[in-house]
Amino acid sequence: LEAIGEAEAIAERFEIGSWYAELNRLRGVSLAALGADETRIEASFRAAIRIAREQKAASLEKRAEANYAEYRAAKEARGV
């Protein structure tokens, strides 16, 4: 998570917005793996999807949607 935060700071500093969706997706995946707060996990995945849509980055949008669906399926399987 620290590395993702650092990468976001670099992307912002150099105005490389194309990485924002992917960094949010990676944050969601990392938070889910760590068993973090569901609100933070879902916010990260939703931000990744929203940003990818805004940027018309279909492959990034699909990747974020797939990871979000996997997270939700795992959550349902646990009965949460």
Side-chain angles (χ1 to χ4, degrees):
L1 289 173
E2 185 178 324
I4 293 169
E6 291 173 14
E8 270 186 331
I10 292 168
E12 286 179 25
R13 183 170 6 129
F14 293 102
E15 299 179 5
I16 309 170
S18 59
W19 282 99
Y20 296 156
E22 184 67 358
L23 290 170
N24 275 287
R25 183 191 71 81
L26 290 170
R27 177 178 286 112
V29 170
S30 298
L31 289 169
L34 293 170
D37 178 62
E38 290 179 33
T39 304
R40 289 183 64 203
I41 296 167
E42 293 194 8
S44 294
F45 284 127
R46 287 187 190 129
I49 294 165
R50 178 184 49 77
I51 293 166
R53 282 183 184 151
E54 289 171 0
Q55 295 176 341
K56 296 180 178 26
S59 63
L60 295 177
E61 181 182 352
K62 288 179 183 181
R63 190 179 311 163
E65 287 173 340
N67 285 148
Y68 190 29
E70 290 170 8
Y71 163 73
R72 288 192 320 252
K75 184 174 137 180
E76 288 179 21
R78 292 190 314 265
V80 179

